[in-house]
Amino acid sequence: MNLSNPNTKIVNTKLDELYARFAAGKLSQPMHVLVAAHLAMRGEGRAYVSALEGLAGGMLERTPPLALSNRDACLKGIFAATNPAASQLPAQSLMPAPLHDFLGKDLADIKWRRRMPGLREYTVSKQNGVEANLYLIKAGHGIPSHTHEGSEFTLVLKGSFFDKVGRYTAGDIAIADSELDHHPIVDKDEDCLCYAVIDAPLHLTGPIGRIFDRFM
Amino acid sequence: MTNHVVSIPINTRKKNLCLTGKLDPELRHNSGQNHLNGQIYAIATSRVNFALSSYSFNLHNSMKRGASLGLSTRLLESILSQSLTAQDQIKLVIAVAQRRDRDAFIVLFDYFAPRLNSYLQRLGSPSSLAEDITQDVMQSLWLKAELFDPAKSSLGTWIYRVARNRRIDSLRRERLDYFDPQDLTQNAAMDRPSDEPNPETLLDGWQREVMVRHALEALPQDQVDLIKLAFFEDLSHSEIAARTGLPLGTVKSRIRLAFTRLRRQLESTGLTDAGF
């Protein structure tokens, strides 16, 4: 990310909050995958996230225990289990492992949908107001001006793009709030592959909604 | 209603402790032995947690003596495992990783599984799902213990991470049998630990976590409270606003500020530039 950008500090605060929600397990699955993939690609946030996870791990150990109803059966099941074959990430994959596992397929097997010239889209999941898409954007092309209900989080997997806030390269997360009139443009030298999640609008109701509502 | 009073003697190498607590007879009659164990367990936990952490235990002697007093092995293990130190945990997990030592695993299981179960149910998982996820997480420890690297984190944190990721998977997927080998390493730097643990670094992860806890406690009290409420008590921002009487906007901005301060505090003590 362009560090000379005056908005970098704000972005970092938002990123810190995202890290905290990730560490605490309070993100929806597509968002959790986005942050995990970002951490797999970029080292900067890892130590902070590890520190927060360490706090959470300490809390787990201090949680008052609640006996299992089926302790012996549970142990028996565990001792009977065998190691499943590990899925192998194809060499040279553009997909960080967490995203690859979430997709359940390789990039080559994705059936893209053409949204407009220069922009292809693949919807990974759409559930409870959270929509996750992969975008493949041709060099020099942009996504037309748009705003969203809820925030949009975009992880750059390959190539780079810029918007009003800054420039984003592989491993960066761009955060666009609902207020932001968003018009990202891909740099001219390379096509851009992104994983983007539009997170749930706030204040959903019901048990699932409550989970999303945490930490917003 | 009169409550039963139970006393649980525990022998340690250095000192005899006696734990005393009250049991609710209604629950005891209604829910049978498991609930009884749970209650004794809870009493023991609250009494013993602090006192025991400073003693060095001879687990096997205590078990033998406890057995001669007619206490079930399971109960003794549960109570005694309250005292599992970071060193104990590492020794046990190494025994699991290197020899698939079932006894070592059972001690870890009896320590972590009831805590996971409790953690998951507090986050709103129904008890059957909480127990399924608990089994799944503990199974990962049994099969993948060698992926735990004590130089990077404590065992509790490693288990927490696996549980957190499984829980998030379970919110969407029906595939509870889904086993994700990447899961265990995806938040670490992806590198495998060496086969032979280095005694010099065995407690590095755990010690760093203790330092992080100190860094948190060094923040102003109101910020520590907010972080704890938001992060650990699993309250939403609006619930925190209701509890603290602060306006929602203030809660949000203070939590942001608190996390930024925590980060600065960690940076100033060199805790966020360690070689993870």
Side-chain angles (χ1 to χ4, degrees), chain B residues 12-221:
Chain B
T12 76
R13 209 185 285 166
K14 292 183 182 168
K15 202 166 187 170
N16 286 327
L17 290 173
C18 190
L19 306 163
T20 310
K22 286 176 183 173
L23 289 182
D24 177 347
E26 293 290 318
L27 286 173
R28 194 172 57 119
H29 293 310
N30 290 343
S31 315
Q33 190 63 23
N34 273 326
H35 209 108
L36 178 66
N37 280 358
Q39 282 197 51
I40 296 176
Y41 202 34
I43 294 161
T45 307
S46 60
R47 300 294 158 95
V48 101
N49 242 348
F50 244 133
L52 296 199
S53 59
S54 53
Y55 298 131
S56 144
F57 271 84
N58 183 328
L59 194 64
H60 288 289
N61 271 352
S62 307
M63 297 285 292
K64 257 190 237 157
R65 287 178 199 171
S68 70
L69 289 164
L71 295 175
S72 78
T73 311
R74 138 136 183 71
L75 186 56
L76 273 168
E77 276 171 355
S78 303
I79 294 166
L80 287 168
S81 59
Q82 294 295 326
S83 68
L84 275 191
T85 62
Q87 285 100 323
D88 291 337
Q89 292 180 17
I90 290 168
K91 273 185 217 149
L92 292 165
V93 78
I94 288 173
V96 173
Q98 294 182 340
R99 303 191 299 275
R100 294 281 167 253
D101 184 325
R102 290 192 178 201
D103 293 333
F105 178 78
I106 289 171
V107 176
L108 289 171
F109 181 94
D110 283 331
Y111 180 72
F112 281 110
R115 286 169 170 76
L116 282 170
N117 186 31
S118 169
Y119 157 77
L120 292 161
Q121 293 201 27
R122 278 204 318 174
L123 290 186
S125 300
S127 61
S128 60
L129 180 64
E131 294 198 359
D132 282 353
I133 299 175
T134 299
Q135 176 166 355
D136 197 38
V137 173
M138 294 311 293
Q139 185 171 309
S140 298
L141 178 64
W142 173 242
L143 295 174
K144 301 276 172 183
E146 61 275 13
L147 292 180
F148 165 66
D149 181 356
K152 287 201 173 120
S153 72
S154 70
L155 184 60
T157 298
W158 189 83
I159 288 176
Y160 164 78
R161 259 185 212 134
V162 178
R164 174 198 64 192
N165 294 353
R166 285 308 148 77
R167 179 181 152 268
I168 288 170
D169 273 357
S170 78
L171 291 177
R172 195 189 78 129
R173 284 179 218 258
E174 306 72 36
R175 297 164 59 186
L176 245 187
D177 56 336
Y178 171 78
F179 191 95
D180 172 9
Q182 295 295 341
D183 205 0
L184 306 178
T185 49
Q186 67 185 219
N187 299 323
M190 294 299 194
D191 47 347
R192 293 279 302 265
S194 59
D195 290 340
E196 284 303 314
N198 171 5
E200 305 248 309
T201 60
L202 274 184
L203 286 174
D204 279 7
W206 174 76
Q207 274 162 355
R208 196 162 42 235
E209 286 173 18
V210 172
M211 286 163 74
V212 170
R213 221 166 291 154
H214 284 299
L216 175 67
E217 297 297 337
L219 294 178
Q221 193 56 46

Side-chain angles (χ1 to χ4, degrees), chain A residues 16-17 23 26 29 32 47-48 53 59 61 63-66 69-71 101 127 210 214-216, chain B residues 41 89 110-111 114-115 117-118 131 160-161 164-165 169 172 180 230 232 234 237 256 259 263 272:
Chain A
D16 277 359
E17 201 188 346
K26 289 166 202 267
Q29 193 188 29
H32 193 80
Y48 181 60
E53 288 170 339
M59 291 301 288
E61 289 202 47
T63 302
L66 182 62
S69 66
N70 58 349
R71 182 244 186 205
D101 292 339
Q127 202 164 17
R210 269 175 61 81
R214 301 273 190 242
F215 236 78
M216 297 302 243
Chain B
Y41 202 34
Q89 292 180 17
D110 283 331
Y111 180 72
R115 286 169 170 76
N117 186 31
S118 169
E131 294 198 359
Y160 164 78
R161 259 185 212 134
R164 174 198 64 192
N165 294 353
D169 273 357
R172 195 189 78 129
D180 172 9
F232 305 120
D234 200 46
H237 284 188
R256 260 189 204 155
F259 275 115
R263 182 170 200 154
T272 53

Side-chain angles (χ1 to χ4, degrees), chain A:
Chain A
M1 194 180 299
N2 183 356
L3 289 175
S4 62
N5 190 298
N7 289 314
T8 299
K9 205 173 162 184
I10 299 168
V11 170
N12 282 347
T13 307
K14 284 182 187 165
L15 208 53
D16 277 359
E17 201 188 346
L18 196 60
Y19 288 151
R21 291 169 61 197
F22 171 83
K26 289 166 202 267
L27 294 172
S28 61
Q29 193 188 29
M31 281 302 295
H32 193 80
V33 167
L34 183 138
V35 177
H38 158 79
L39 292 170
M41 293 175 80
R42 282 292 181 83
E44 298 98 284
R46 275 181 214 152
Y48 181 60
V49 169
S50 291
L52 295 175
E53 288 170 339
L55 288 172
M59 291 301 288
L60 172 67
E61 289 202 47
R62 288 193 295 281
T63 302
L66 182 62
L68 298 178
S69 66
N70 58 349
R71 182 244 186 205
D72 294 346
C74 188
L75 273 170
K76 207 175 156 192
I78 289 171
F79 289 139
T82 48
N83 250 326
S87 71
Q88 283 300 315
L89 197 61
Q92 306 289 319
S93 175
L94 288 168
M95 294 285 170
L99 184 55
H100 182 267
D101 292 339
F102 182 51
L103 280 174
K105 60 178 93 169
D106 292 334
L107 198 54
D109 301 326
I110 283 170
K111 290 192 171 61
W112 294 98
R113 197 158 51 98
R114 204 160 154 263
R115 279 286 297 273
M116 56 188 73
L119 173 65
R120 284 165 189 233
E121 183 186 68
Y122 172 75
T123 300
V124 184
S125 73
K126 203 171 187 176
Q127 202 164 17
N128 304 314
V130 182
E131 187 177 336
N133 293 299
L134 282 171
Y135 292 109
L136 187 58
I137 311 157
K138 273 210 179 311
H141 282 68
I143 295 182
S145 249
H146 63 288
T147 56
H148 356 76
E149 220 180 322
S151 298
E152 185 177 48
F153 300 82
T154 307
L155 172 68
V156 183
L157 299 168
K158 176 182 171 282
S160 58
F161 74 83
F162 58 94
D163 64 13
K164 270 190 210 165
V165 180
R167 168 167 274 107
Y168 305 89
T169 59
D172 281 335
I173 297 176
I175 303 175
D177 285 340
S178 50
E179 311 92 70
L180 188 75
D181 184 12
H182 201 207
H183 178 41
I185 298 170
V186 170
D187 283 305
K188 288 200 176 73
D189 47 343
E190 200 184 353
D191 293 352
C192 184
L193 177 66
C194 295
Y195 170 66
V197 181
I198 297 177
D199 214 357
L202 302 188
H203 311 306
L204 295 176
T205 51
I208 299 293
R210 269 175 61 81
I211 288 150
F212 289 124
D213 199 29
R214 301 273 190 242
F215 236 78
M216 297 302 243

